[in-house]
Structure formats: C-alpha cells, structure tokens
Amino acid sequence: MAGSLEGDFESNSEVSDGRQTTRGDVMIRFDNVTKVYGNDTVALERVNLGIDSGEFVFLVGASGSGKSTIVRLILKEMEPSAGSIYVNGTRLSSVPRRRIPRLRRDIGCVFQDFKLLPNKTVAENVAYAMEVTGQKRRTIRTKVPQILDLVGLSGKMEKFPDMLSGGEQQRVSIARAFVSQPPILVADEPTGNLDPTTSVGIMQLLHRINRTGTTVLVATHDREMVDVMRKRVVALEEGRLVRDKVKGAYADEV
Ligand code: ADP
C-alpha cells in the first residue's frame, strides 16, 4: 500500500536538531528513579532502566503499578523525587522549563483516548501538530498525505474524528505522533479502547514504525498482545521493576 512512500519515513539517523543517533545508543535511561506523589504515595521506587536506540519495549504491570508515571517522567510533565532521567542523551533535570517543548519534539506520543481535535479533519489534525512545531507549509503539504497513506488512511483525510472507528482514530493519532519522525515514540495503553482484532493492526503499525529506526515504548496491560509480539518486556509491580526480558511474554516468571 505505502511501498514507495516508506523510503521517506525510513532513515531516522539524523534527528531534528542535527544530532546523530545510531542504533545502540541509550535513548531512555532511568537511574535509581523514585517518584512519590504527595507525602506518601510511592509510585516508583528505585527504578533502573535503559532502552537503546531502535528497541521496541513493552512496559507492563497492573493498574496502579507506575506505567503512566514512567511515561509522564519521560515527557518531563513532572520531576522525579530522586534519581536521574536521561532522554536522547539529555539529562532531564538540566532542561529549563522554556526548553521543554523542544525536548518533547523528540518524543511522539500516543494515548489511549487518542486526544484528537474534534473540529479538525484527519489531515488538519496531523497538519496542526506540524504547524505548532514551526514546520514549513510546503513540508506539511507533502508529509501529511504521505504519513496518512503509511497508516492506511489516505481515503479519510477530509473526515472528522467522530466519523471514524476507534482503530482509525488511533491511526490518526499515530500519524500525528510520527509525522515529524521523532527518535522516540511512547504509547500509553494505545489499544486500551480497541477490540482485539483492531489492536493487532495498531501494534503492527507501531512495529513498522519501530523498523524505521524509531525507539518505541508501549505501556500496556494487554496480555495477549504482549505475548504475541515477543518483544522486550519490562514489568512493574507496585512501583518496582520486577522483570526485564528480551523476548518476553506478559506473565513470564522472574
Ligand atoms: P499505571 O499507569 O500503571 O496505572 P500510575 O503511574 O498511574 O500507574 O500510578 C502509580 C501510583 O501512583 C498509583 O498508586 C496511583 O494511584 C498513584 N498516582 C498516579 N498519579 C497520581 C497523582 N497525580 N497524585 C497522586 N497519586 C497518583
């Protein structure tokens, strides 16, 4: 379907600010990270984690185990209570507030509830994400149809989100997250609102994106999906990292 277009989304070796990333570099690193909400809710406890460039990693665990907290810390939506976090070579605690938007340009985000703008068409939703990061109109005009073709939605560019199925809406949000080819894509329960068949398609799409060189981190408690994909699985239990398997299944023993 998107054969000839894939070339445009293939090489991810040079990120937007000209820094070079190569497969094997550490993309996300947590050093002894603890996060306490308020005075006494320990959401993460001394988490150590390294994710290399080009990896596909599932972050699994029961509800409340700390998955979203990890995602929010990567996005620097909040600070850890202790420990250090590095994203794409940058220590997050050294990034001043005004530089956070710049940092987030390196991280495409996909959420369970899609977060599409209801009054904009599919094409406008994707274009808007590029406009706010200051990309040229000509680049936007070229890239939007290409990425929508890549996610299998070229026939729905002028539709509004509420005219699409859940799976299609999630494809739009993946297109939006990936259109500027960030080195990292983070998805928080991307199949949480979707039926199993639709979920398979979404995971395959994330896998294809990973094959272009993008590091992909998927937080989920979709056991079946994790078991089928046979990717690295990092498991959390009550804020502790309890398992890290290269080609794991959801419920592998420690
Ligand atoms: P998951 O994504 O695995 O469901 P979370 O990271 O959302 O887990 O939550 C981890 C723990 O932190 C839970 O005990 C949750 O109740 C608590 N928590 C999450 N967000 C907040 C918050 N903003 N304020 C207080 N406690 C929170």
Side-chain angles (χ1 to χ4, degrees):
M1 171 237 359
S4 62
L5 288 172
E6 282 199 323
D8 278 17
F9 288 92
E10 209 154 307
S11 169
N12 196 27
S13 61
E14 189 172 343
V15 294
S16 50
D17 62 359
R19 269 176 296 161
Q20 297 283 323
T21 41
T22 10
R23 192 173 284 264
D25 286 352
V26 179
M27 258 305 166
I28 298 172
R29 194 169 117 202
F30 278 50
D31 277 354
N32 258 318
V33 171
T34 293
K35 176 67 189 176
V36 184
Y37 291 106
N39 288 329
D40 53 3
T41 308
V42 181
L44 294 178
E45 199 173 344
R46 293 181 160 273
V47 169
N48 288 295
L49 176 65
I51 298 177
D52 288 346
S53 171
E55 277 200 275
F56 188 118
V57 179
F58 281 116
L59 185 60
V60 306
S63 178
S65 58
K67 303 184 295 295
S68 298
T69 299
I70 286 192
V71 170
R72 295 183 60 202
L73 287 169
I74 291 171
L75 293 169
K76 199 173 159 74
E77 285 184 14
M78 57 194 184
E79 299 300 323
S81 311
S84 304
I85 300 167
Y86 299 80
V87 173
N88 201 7
T90 302
R91 186 183 174 126
L92 294 193
S93 60
S94 72
V95 176
R97 188 180 288 259
R98 69 188 149 78
R99 300 260 306 173
I100 293 177
R102 175 104 188 62
L103 177 86
R104 292 200 184 133
R105 257 187 262 165
D106 281 352
I107 312 167
C109 273
V110 174
F111 298 98
Q112 177 170 1
D113 58 359
F114 321 134
K115 297 197 194 297
L116 299 175
L117 299 167
N119 300 324
K120 289 190 185 291
T121 65
V122 165
E124 287 166 353
N125 262 281
V126 178
Y128 183 70
M130 299 182 79
E131 283 161 20
V132 297
T133 58
Q135 303 204 39
K136 292 197 191 85
R137 283 177 68 172
R138 182 142 54 100
T139 311
I140 296 175
R141 263 205 306 274
T142 320
K143 287 264 179 176
V144 168
Q146 284 179 348
I147 189 80
L148 287 172
D149 192 14
L150 196 74
V151 302
L153 286 178
S154 45
K156 311 246 164 159
M157 298 211 340
E158 304 311 323
K159 302 268 190 238
F160 287 90
D162 66 0
M163 300 160 89
L164 303 180
S165 69
E168 288 170 338
Q169 290 185 57
Q170 193 58 297
R171 283 171 187 275
V172 179
S173 92
I174 292 171
R176 181 181 59 182
F178 188 60
V179 70
S180 301
Q181 284 181 278
I184 304 169
L185 193 104
V186 175
D188 196 357
E189 298 283 0
T191 59
N193 285 339
L194 305 175
D195 63 69
T197 315
T198 310
S199 300
V200 171
I202 292 297
M203 283 298 173
Q204 282 170 343
L205 183 55
L206 292 173
H207 186 230
R208 267 173 83 195
I209 284 174
N210 172 245
R211 287 210 313 261
T212 69
T214 298
T215 309
V216 175
L217 176 66
V218 181
T220 184
H221 55 248
D222 190 338
R223 281 165 179 272
E224 271 177 51
M225 191 62 61
V226 172
D227 290 349
V228 168
M229 301 275 292
R230 307 299 296 176
K231 294 289 181 188
R232 178 175 168 197
V233 178
V234 172
L236 287 170
E237 257 174 46
E238 296 180 354
R240 297 214 179 108
L241 207 154
V242 293
R243 216 163 47 236
D244 190 347
K245 284 242 174 181
V246 175
K247 282 193 175 166
Y250 193 100
D252 275 349
E253 292 306 314
V254 180

